[in-house]
Amino acid sequence: MDELLAWRKEFPILEKATYMISHSLGAMPRGAEDALREYTNVWATRGIRAWEEGWWEMPLRVGDLVGSIIGAAKGSVAMHQNVSVCQTIVTSCFDWSGRRNKLVTDGLNFPSNEYIYYGLRRQGARVCPVESADGMTLPTERIVDAIDEETQLVSVSHVAFRSSYVQDLAAITRRAHEVGARVVADLYQSTGILPVNVGEWSVDFATGGSVKWLCGGPGAGYLYVRPDVKLEPAATGWMAHARPFGFEGGPIEYADDGFRYLNGTPNLPAMYAARTGYEIVNQVCVDAIREKSLRQTALLMELADEAGIAVRTCREARLRGGVVTLDVPNGKEVTAELGRREVLVDYRPGAGIRVAPHFYTSDDEVRRTVAEVISIVR
Ligand SMILES: Cc1ncc(COP(=O)(O)O)c(C=O)c1O
């Protein structure tokens, strides 16, 4: 008996589609609709008073719901629009013009992170990518070896978006701290599908979004900053001021608490929409999600092996995130045909068809997905 299947009724799309794409867009929980209605009701009936009745604090209170999934202290996670914004805030905390100007970046990182890092070269940053030999894996020692006394920041994708390879964040953070460098972790592909504990691992910054495993929809990125890390982001705004309602001009005096890394007016509707997904993931519990995910990704690989389909995902459970990548000829066209058959997956060039069960997926859906791939390929 798979008790997690009881959650299926909360996700309307599961009635119609075989939904194997939660690494890209998690299914919408029914409660998100009510939450958005609550937003418009509050706006309509409370008007300007809504700010002091919860809206002002919302980036941190909603952040706490993410915080309890990633092992962060209360008040240390703030909501922003997306990962790209969060990475811009983090990298704006540093002076890149001195001798300590190295930015070590994991070669499996998400491209927009790299775009931001390369943009820092005009401020003096030396971007040092640690390339993956096979485009799929990247031994932790390779990143550890690239970190030295000239390193300012190390950027790591906890789970790689293309191959779902799991990186050892704790070991990298230990090495970075030995030489006085900071770590920013991209948790987008790990939060909500495998255990994360930023507090225990002592990560300095972590960021991610809600679109995928958290089933929270777009526009709700989050930024964790270790509570003792009090830097001064150049990318800032009035909400980060110690006295925002003083409207004081000149250089900013930063707030001492979690507001420090905020900027301007937050994306409230996105936070309302995202809350339900976070609450469900908190209730289901990530350990149970991970256990099921490991079982179903193993089943996917077993079925693919039987059919002679190449798998471009790590076999070892410890190194495997929530996605299995199937490498078949004409993967893009196969993906389009799967969509016509109501089996939703996606395709990434250089990898293949990405398939992901989540806590609401049945074993029958896993079997159906592979059977449809086989039928289309044949
Ligand atoms: C690992 C990872 N980082 C970042 C992103 C994109 O982040 P955003 O669109 O929030 O900037 C994605 C997903 O698309 C991703 O998989």
Side-chain angles (χ1 to χ4, degrees), residues 15 31 40 105 113 128 151 171 179 189 227 244 274 287 331 333 370-371:
E15 289 161 19
T40 51
T105 171
N113 298 342
C128 304
T151 306
V179 297
Q189 290 293 352
D287 287 338
E333 289 72 20
V370 179

Side-chain angles (χ1 to χ4, degrees), residues 8-286:
R8 286 179 71 84
K9 59 181 186 317
E10 299 301 326
F11 296 88
I13 201 167
L14 304 182
E15 289 161 19
K16 296 209 172 78
T18 298
Y19 205 77
M20 306 298 278
I21 193 162
S22 304
H23 57 281
S24 183
L25 184 71
M28 189 200 84
R30 213 176 274 289
E33 205 174 323
D34 301 332
L36 282 168
R37 203 168 302 115
E38 183 192 333
Y39 163 68
T40 51
N41 275 341
V42 169
W43 184 13
T45 59
R46 301 305 297 156
I48 188 70
R49 292 166 292 194
W51 285 110
E52 59 196 38
E53 292 171 0
W55 280 8
W56 181 260
E57 290 279 335
M58 217 170 157
L60 295 180
R61 294 297 73 84
V62 174
D64 285 340
L65 292 172
V66 176
S68 62
I69 300 171
I70 64 172
K74 275 212 170 354
S76 62
V77 177
M79 301 305 298
H80 292 270
Q81 191 178 338
N82 55 46
V83 169
S84 309
V85 165
C86 296
Q87 291 275 351
T88 304
I89 295 166
V90 170
T91 52
S92 82
C93 290
F94 302 101
D95 176 358
W96 297 99
S97 66
R99 193 164 160 267
R100 195 186 269 276
N101 64 350
K102 241 175 105 169
L103 198 167
V104 173
T105 171
D106 151 9
L108 300 173
N109 228 326
F110 191 77
S112 61
N113 298 342
E114 294 196 349
Y115 304 154
I116 292 161
Y117 305 153
Y118 281 100
L120 294 167
R121 287 189 301 186
R122 69 183 76 146
Q123 294 177 35
R126 250 185 317 142
V127 184
C128 304
V130 182
E131 301 297 354
S132 154
D134 57 4
M136 196 174 112
T137 59
L138 185 53
T140 304
E141 313 78 73
R142 300 263 324 281
I143 300 184
V144 163
D145 290 347
I147 302 171
D148 59 20
E149 269 75 13
E150 293 186 356
T151 306
Q152 178 82 266
L153 186 65
V154 182
S155 168
V156 186
S157 201
H158 186 206
V159 174
F161 78 101
R162 241 191 216 103
S163 60
S164 214
Y165 179 76
V166 181
Q167 193 49 264
D168 187 343
L169 210 44
I172 292 168
T173 305
R174 265 197 306 279
R175 170 62 186 153
H177 289 175
E178 267 169 26
V179 297
R182 305 273 187 192
V183 171
V184 57
D186 184 335
L187 304 178
Y188 218 144
Q189 290 293 352
S190 55
T191 302
I193 187 71
L194 56 94
V196 174
N197 198 326
V198 287
E200 193 180 303
W201 302 338
S202 206
V203 171
D204 302 281
F205 303 96
T207 178
S210 309
V211 174
K212 308 169 195 291
W213 308 106
L214 291 175
C215 302
Y222 56 88
L223 173 61
Y224 163 76
V225 186
R226 218 178 59 217
D228 61 306
V229 174
K230 307 266 183 193
L231 299 177
E232 302 193 340
T236 188
W238 68 287
M239 281 188 80
H241 198 283
R243 294 170 301 279
F245 293 100
F247 300 104
E248 300 163 34
I252 185 166
E253 186 187 321
Y254 291 94
D256 202 41
D257 56 12
F259 278 75
R260 187 183 188 94
Y261 293 91
L262 288 179
N263 38 68
T265 311
N267 188 0
L268 293 167
M271 286 185 236
Y272 271 90
R275 249 179 4 196
T276 314
Y278 305 159
E279 283 160 1
I280 291 177
V281 169
N282 268 303
Q283 276 181 62
V284 178
C285 171
V286 173

Side-chain angles (χ1 to χ4, degrees), residues 318-339:
R318 180 178 66 87
L319 301 176
R320 186 170 91 235
V323 181
V324 172
T325 305
L326 305 177
D327 195 6
V328 298
N330 307 312
K332 195 170 171 204
E333 289 72 20
V334 174
T335 301
E337 178 56 24
L338 283 167

